[in-house]
Amino acid sequence: MNKRQILFFIGIIGLVIACQKTDDKLDTSLFEFVQPEHFPAPVYNLASNPISKEGFELGRKLFYDPILSRNNTISCGSCHISQHAFTHHGHDVSHGIDDRLGVRNSMPLMNLAWSKGFFWDGGVFHLDLAPIAPIENEVEMDEQFVTVLEKLRNSKDYPTLFQKAFGSSEINSVNTLQALSQFMLLLISDNSKYDKVIRKETNFSAAEQRGYTLYQQKCSTCHQEPLFTDYSYRDNGLGINPSQDQGRYEITGLESDKLKFKVPSLRNLAYTSPYMHDGSFITLEAVINHYRREIKQTDNLDPLLRNGIALSNMEVSDLTAFLNTLNDEKFIRNTLFSEQP
Amino acid sequence: MLSACILFSCTKDEPTLDVTKNGQLKIKFDQIVGGKKLILNETTYTNNSEEQFIVSTAKYYVSNIVLTNNNGQSYTVPKSESFFLINAANSESLTPSVLVPEGQYTTLQFNLGIDSITNTLPVSERTGVLDVAGNDMYWSWNSGYIFFKLEGSSTSSTTADQKFRYHIGLFGGYDTKTVNNNKTVVLDLSKAGTAIVQENLSSDIHLMVDLGKVFDGKNKISIATNSTVMTSGPHQLIAENYAQMFTHDHTHNYQKISNE
């Protein structure tokens, strides 16, 4: 080998190593929690449940596995469909085991690391504890969580997968819930046009810009940037529905909480119809008309909505243009989040 | 004045409990209903509303145990060793024991329920009787432990299956202040037998737990009016009643430590 050949050889090796390096990096960075710059610090304590590729994949498998339901027919993914920002598109109230119907509309699963309370009434205060509610709910999956653990222990695949993710093949409530959280924590939606504008990668159109200003004046107190909710519970004047759902009151028992529901995010509305806690609104137009002229003067109606929200037809079209900048196509098309073949 | 000071400082300076010399303290929970022994699914009982019932489930959490000796010194059992789920269907659960420093204890205090801090622990710390799976004492939709569960059947019940179900919990709320049904139970042991704890021996405190008090305690609860009580209905009245279920019956001191 002459000097030239040696150099060439070393160069090749270097290239191979460099390639491998970037490959590895790409691979693991997909499974890292990347803090979006314009988001606040997460509420979830990530150090308590460090996310790994294996943990995420185990969580995803659990999420799409109907073994979590009594008769092995319903998975979390049945009601939380990735292409619909993890809602149950086409269903006003949840449609669960044996075709039983619930009283509430399935919620999108996104940006959960920032959430302080879960479900429309905030009855669960930690993401790790959230999955037990649908599993044990008799109109959803109708299974005892302890039986789910038993089924997982007796399955062919899971003990090995738990071993890979947590270093032990023992399956218990803690690691099962933590795996589900690892999957759900990475469901981050931060790539809408709005996010790109904030990151100065693009600009709003004139109509979107006018709509943004209107949003800031009329909606932002409750649907606060950048997550488009302030995570509070409020009554936006829908009135009581036939299933007599009192929302937050069901948890706190306080009169002042009657008909209050968690303020939902305005992200990804294009994919999450129907809207509101009971899915009674099919279109965005109907929602906006509610705020314009259908507010019910209930006891706990939020003071901001006492007189409704005045919007001209022109303003409605601008506001809608802005709301459409909150749709994150990359999020709903991310194959990493969907059921694996 | 001076002697008072000396006396005062004397008690102050008294060596604290010698935690290097520990003995066993066992608490025996004998379940009864009114004057009759509790036999699950078998014996028929009546309450003061003249309703007949049988009991199928009786379970409750006992936690945060504190003992006070005849010098007025208190010993708090370390929190992690202080959670017990008393379950009438599981005889092993009826005699929890703890290690405490030697001494003559005249007061037994415990919490009936699970305090708010424990209700908000990360899942990784919820093991054993606190495991959210398997103990059947956790509300998943209104996150929190069920402190007390009494179930059975009665022809007075208005439910389709003629059952009554009392599941009482609520720890005071996570971020909104709500009802707290935890109850502190304080029992004077001096009358029916001070617990004398000595190294290598056990002092066995026998408590009578009258589940009938749930219906006929401070508040009268009738099965016909309230067949199901969980997070709505008179759960606070039932909690006031269960706080009064316990009486100290007697103590056996200097018992051999056995593994029964």
Side-chain angles (χ1 to χ4, degrees):
Chain A
M1 241 188 245
N2 66 27
K3 217 173 167 187
R4 246 238 219 84
Q5 279 174 312
I6 292 175
L7 272 179
F8 178 73
F9 191 67
I10 292 174
I12 295 262
I13 294 179
L15 247 163
V16 169
I17 292 176
C19 276
Q20 251 174 357
K21 269 257 165 78
T22 45
D23 257 18
D24 274 359
K25 195 156 171 255
L26 219 145
D27 203 28
T28 49
S29 73
L30 286 174
F31 303 95
E32 258 167 41
F33 184 93
V34 183
Q35 166 72 29
E37 264 170 50
H38 55 300
F39 282 17
V43 172
Y44 190 96
N45 176 4
L46 292 155
S48 71
N49 183 15
I51 301 175
S52 67
K53 178 173 184 285
E54 293 74 19
F56 170 90
E57 286 173 347
L58 171 59
R60 179 176 60 195
K61 186 172 164 68
L62 289 165
F63 189 86
Y64 289 108
D65 197 336
I67 196 173
L68 269 61
S69 67
R70 172 177 41 78
N71 57 7
N72 306 325
T73 56
I74 303 271
S75 73
C76 310
S78 309
C79 300
H80 297 289
I81 305 169
S82 62
Q83 295 88 328
H84 292 285
F86 294 92
T87 54
H88 202 186
H89 181 68
H91 292 264
D92 51 357
V93 292
S94 70
H95 184 165
I97 199 159
D98 303 335
D99 288 335
R100 294 182 197 166
L101 296 178
V103 296
R104 293 203 184 140
N105 183 12
S106 169
M107 301 175 89
L109 305 183
M110 59 187 174
N111 302 336
L112 292 166
W114 288 271
S115 191
K116 299 186 185 89
F118 300 89
F119 305 109
W120 283 105
D121 55 21
V124 174
F125 39 76
H126 198 289
L127 181 62
D128 293 349
L129 293 168
I132 314 170
I135 291 172
E136 298 200 338
N137 188 322
E138 57 188 38
V139 299
E140 290 175 352
M141 302 169 98
D142 195 27
E143 180 61 292
Q144 291 292 310
F145 185 38
V146 67
T147 316
V148 170
L149 299 180
E150 227 16 76
K151 286 198 263 182
L152 295 175
R153 285 178 196 127
N154 294 333
S155 73
K156 194 161 66 62
D157 302 338
Y158 279 107
T160 326
L161 297 172
F162 274 82
Q163 171 75 42
K164 279 191 191 151
F166 295 104
S168 155
S169 60
E170 192 202 321
I171 297 176
N172 55 37
S173 45
V174 177
N175 52 24
T176 303
L177 294 170
Q178 288 187 332
L180 278 164
S181 286
Q182 289 195 26
F183 172 65
M184 291 192 284
L185 285 166
L186 288 196
L187 305 178
I188 298 173
S189 176
D190 67 343
N191 262 309
S192 65
K193 179 165 187 189
Y194 160 84
D195 297 300
K196 290 178 187 147
V197 172
I198 298 292
R199 289 197 296 258
K200 304 207 159 50
E201 292 163 18
T202 185
N203 293 307
F204 283 137
S205 72
E208 288 163 355
Q209 184 63 51
R210 287 194 302 272
Y212 183 37
T213 308
L214 283 165
Y215 149 80
Q216 287 179 314
Q217 290 163 356
K218 319 248 179 188
C219 322
S220 70
T221 314
C222 307
H223 299 283
Q224 223 173 73
E225 286 178 79
L227 293 150
F228 291 86
T229 164
D230 65 349
Y231 297 104
S232 63
Y233 304 90
R234 301 184 190 240
D235 175 357
N236 72 341
L238 297 174
I240 190 126
N241 69 13
S243 54
Q244 305 290 315
D245 189 348
Q246 296 279 9
R248 183 80 179 141
Y249 171 81
E250 317 266 349
I251 300 303
T252 66
L254 302 173
E255 286 295 316
S256 57
D257 279 336
K258 279 193 167 163
L259 289 178
K260 288 189 180 169
F261 291 86
K262 185 160 96 179
V263 175
S265 172
L266 299 181
R267 287 177 173 270
N268 294 315
L269 292 169
Y271 320 114
T272 62
S273 163
Y275 309 109
M276 305 295 179
H277 69 268
D278 57 0
S280 53
F281 289 74
I282 320 297
T283 63
L284 218 45
E285 198 188 350
V287 171
I288 293 175
N289 282 337
H290 162 76
Y291 286 111
R292 289 167 91 190
R293 49 185 190 236
E294 292 162 8
I295 298 276
K296 295 210 173 56
Q297 301 293 322
T298 44
D299 290 347
N300 294 320
L301 174 65
D302 200 282
L304 287 170
L305 297 173
R306 230 13 51 97
N307 303 314
I309 296 179
L311 289 163
S312 69
N313 288 346
M314 173 66 187
E315 286 174 326
V316 170
S317 113
D318 289 344
L319 183 59
T320 311
F322 168 69
L323 292 176
N324 278 324
T325 71
L326 298 176
N327 301 325
D328 180 352
E329 192 153 342
K330 200 171 157 201
F331 176 67
I332 62 146
R333 293 203 189 287
N334 193 335
T335 49
L336 215 57
F337 298 157
S338 53
E339 188 166 6
Q340 305 298 299
Chain B
M1 183 62 198
L2 190 73
S3 64
C5 267
I6 290 168
L7 262 180
F8 182 69
S9 62
C10 258
T11 44
K12 267 263 162 154
D13 287 351
E14 188 142 349
T16 43
L17 291 162
D18 179 3
V19 290
T20 60
K21 280 182 117 184
N22 293 313
Q24 177 177 278
L25 186 103
K26 189 186 267 185
I27 310 171
K28 293 197 164 185
F29 291 85
D30 284 337
Q31 324 287 323
I32 57 173
V33 181
K36 278 155 76 173
K37 237 176 111 168
L38 174 72
I39 303 177
L40 291 179
N41 301 314
E42 239 178 82
T43 309
T44 302
Y45 307 95
T46 52
N47 61 24
N48 288 349
S49 307
E50 294 184 21
E51 296 166 324
Q52 298 202 332
F53 60 94
I54 66 167
V55 176
S56 56
T57 304
K59 278 165 102 170
Y60 48 89
Y61 280 110
V62 165
S63 59
N64 302 1
I65 298 170
V66 182
L67 289 142
T68 308
N69 68 15
N70 51 354
N71 294 325
Q73 296 166 312
S74 292
Y75 176 72
T76 304
V77 177
K79 201 160 172 173
S80 57
E81 298 159 24
S82 202
F83 291 103
F84 298 100
L85 177 55
I86 310 299
N87 179 359
N90 172 6
S91 57
E92 270 167 44
S93 75
L94 303 178
T95 54
S97 59
V98 288
L99 282 180
V100 299
E102 285 194 342
Q104 305 198 5
Y105 293 97
T106 51
T107 312
L108 166 67
Q109 178 186 314
F110 57 83
N111 176 47
L112 201 153
I114 298 287
D115 63 33
S116 58
I117 292 172
T118 309
N119 264 286
T120 55
L121 282 181
V123 279
S124 57
E125 290 171 44
R126 298 172 183 237
T127 52
V129 297
L130 296 176
D131 197 328
V132 290
N135 292 308
D136 235 356
M137 292 294 273
Y138 171 75
W139 277 320
S140 58
W141 50 277
N142 184 355
S143 183
Y145 291 98
I146 299 169
F147 304 158
F148 176 87
K149 214 179 220 190
L150 185 71
E151 292 181 358
S153 34
S154 167
T155 47
S156 302
S157 165
T158 56
T159 64
D161 56 4
Q162 300 234 297
K163 297 254 165 76
F164 67 91
R165 293 181 181 84
Y166 299 157
H167 298 183
I168 314 299
L170 302 179
F171 62 88
Y174 181 69
D175 44 14
T176 307
K177 200 168 154 43
T178 59
V179 171
N180 189 336
N181 282 324
N182 275 291
K183 294 290 172 195
T184 305
V185 175
V186 182
L187 298 170
D188 174 13
L189 307 176
S190 62
K191 294 203 187 68
T194 298
I196 303 170
V197 173
Q198 277 199 8
E199 204 173 14
N200 299 324
L201 291 174
S202 180
S203 171
D204 299 355
I205 300 176
H206 283 244
L207 304 182
M208 287 291 174
V209 187
D210 183 1
L211 293 156
K213 283 277 193 307
V214 170
F215 304 104
D216 302 310
K218 187 172 161 195
N219 311 298
K220 196 165 181 177
I221 299 291
S222 116
I223 296 173
T225 331
N226 292 293
S227 301
T228 306
V229 183
M230 295 185 187
T231 54
S232 55
H235 51 88
Q236 287 169 278
L237 301 183
I238 292 180
E240 285 175 2
N241 283 357
Y242 65 53
Q244 299 183 311
M245 296 190 303
F246 304 88
T247 46
H248 178 216
D249 197 67
H250 62 276
T251 304
H252 291 302
N253 287 315
Y254 315 117
Q255 301 295 298
K256 273 214 299 233
I257 296 182
S258 59
N259 291 328
E260 40 98 41

